[in-house]
C-alpha cells in the first residue's frame, strides 16, 4: 500500500521584502523574480511531501491580479494539492502587503508540478496526498482535470483520453 501524508504537512509560508534590485523601472516587482520565489516555495512544499529531491515539471498559467510595489512585503503560501505516481501538483497563493498603510492584497496564484527523483535523477514514487479541509478537497478534486489539461497541451495525452477533462463539458462519446 502506498504511503499517505496529509496535505497540511506540506504547507509552506515564505516571506520576502521587495527591494530596488527586484523591481522594474516602474518600481513594480519583476514577474521573473515573482516566478523565482514561487518556484522556491512550491519546491519546498513538494520536498516536504515527498521527502525527496524534486524537479519542476510544469508551471500553469501565472496571472498577475495586482502589481507588487517596491517596499511591499510578499507572502507566498504553498501546499501540495494532489500526488500522482511520482509527480505532485502544488498550489501557490501570493499576497502583497504595504505595511505602512495596512493594505494587503492577493496578487498571484498558480499551480506548479514537481517530480520526485532519486540521486541519479530517476523518477520515484511519492506518498498519496490526503486532503482534510473543504479547500484542500476542492483543490484535490480539480487536480486530475488540471493534470489532464497539462498533458493534452504538452502533447503527452490525446484529448480523447482525457476523461476527467471531458466531464467538465459533459461530452458524450457520440458528440465528439
Amino acid at each position: 500500500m502506498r504511503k499517505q501524508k496529509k496535505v497540511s504537512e506540506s504547507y509552506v509560508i515564505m516571506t520576502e521584502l521587495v527591494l530596488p534590485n527586484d523591481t522594474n523601472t516602474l518600481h513594480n516587482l519583476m514577474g521573473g523574480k515573482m516566478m523565482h520565489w514561487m518556484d522556491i516555495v512550491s519546491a519546498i512544499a513538494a520536498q516536504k511531501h515527498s521527502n525527496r529531491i524534486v524537479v519542476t515539471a510544469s508551471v500553469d498559467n501565472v496571472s498577475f491580479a495586482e502589481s507588487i510595489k517596491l517596499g511591499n512585503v510578499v507572502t507566498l503560501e504553498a501546499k501540495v494539492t494532489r500526488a500522482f505516481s511520482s509527480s505532485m501538483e502544488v498550489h501557490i497563493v501570493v499576497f502583497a502587503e504595504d505595511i505602512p498603510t495596512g493594505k494587503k492584497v492577493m496578487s498571484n496564484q498558480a499551480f506548479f508540478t514537481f517530480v520526485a527523483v532519486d540521486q541519479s535523477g530517476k523518477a520515484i514514487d511519492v506518498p498519496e496526498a490526503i486532503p482534510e479541509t473543504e479547500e484542500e478537497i476542492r483543490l484535490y478534486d480539480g487536480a486530475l482535470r488540471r493534470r489532464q489539461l497539462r498533458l493534452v497541451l504538452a502533447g503527452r495525452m490525446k484529448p480523447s483520453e482525457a476523461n476527467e477533462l471531458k466531464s467538465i463539458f459533459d461530452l458524450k462519446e457520440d458528440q465528439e
Side-chain angles (χ1 to χ4, degrees):
M1 184 167 142
R2 194 167 150 202
K3 184 179 176 185
Q4 298 180 335
K5 282 182 102 171
K6 295 177 184 177
V7 165
S8 59
E9 293 179 64
S10 69
Y11 182 68
V12 176
I13 299 175
M14 187 171 102
T15 305
E16 298 285 344
L17 175 64
V18 180
L19 299 172
N21 200 40
D22 301 324
T23 64
N24 60 25
T25 54
L26 298 174
H27 304 291
N28 293 324
L29 179 66
M30 289 186 281
K33 187 64 161 185
M34 170 58 65
M35 290 183 66
H36 173 78
W37 290 343
M38 293 172 85
D39 195 33
I40 291 169
V41 73
S42 55
I44 294 169
Q47 286 180 342
K48 285 179 71 171
H49 181 78
S50 64
N51 294 108
R52 297 289 182 178
I53 297 167
V54 298
V55 294
T56 309
S58 71
V59 175
D60 284 12
N61 181 12
V62 178
S63 54
F64 298 84
E66 297 277 341
S67 60
I68 299 175
K69 305 289 185 193
L70 175 65
N72 283 174
V73 173
V74 179
T75 304
L76 302 97
E77 299 180 7
K79 62 183 166 186
V80 169
T81 59
R82 190 162 180 172
F84 298 94
S85 297
S86 60
S87 68
M88 296 154 283
E89 180 188 78
V90 179
H91 183 233
I92 307 103
V93 182
V94 180
F95 298 94
E97 184 175 5
D98 181 340
I99 290 180
T101 66
K103 182 182 176 195
K104 185 175 182 177
V105 296
M106 195 219 7
S107 61
N108 306 67
Q109 62 177 319
F111 293 94
F112 283 39
T113 303
F114 290 85
V115 174
V117 296
D118 63 18
Q119 295 298 333
S120 63
K122 183 180 175 204
I124 191 165
D125 287 346
V126 298
E128 181 180 353
I130 306 300
E132 297 177 295
T133 67
E134 283 185 32
E135 179 198 21
E136 289 171 357
I137 292 167
R138 181 182 57 77
L139 290 169
Y140 179 93
D141 288 345
L144 184 55
R145 289 187 297 274
R146 289 186 297 272
R147 180 176 192 256
Q148 287 182 352
L149 179 59
R150 283 190 286 274
L151 292 172
V152 167
L153 292 174
R156 295 177 51 211
M157 176 184 267
K158 294 178 184 174
S160 60
E161 297 170 349
N163 294 327
E164 287 295 316
L165 195 54
K166 288 192 296 188
S167 72
I168 295 173
F169 304 103
D170 194 29
L171 294 176
K172 307 289 185 243
E173 291 299 321
D174 58 332
Q175 293 177 322
E176 291 182 44

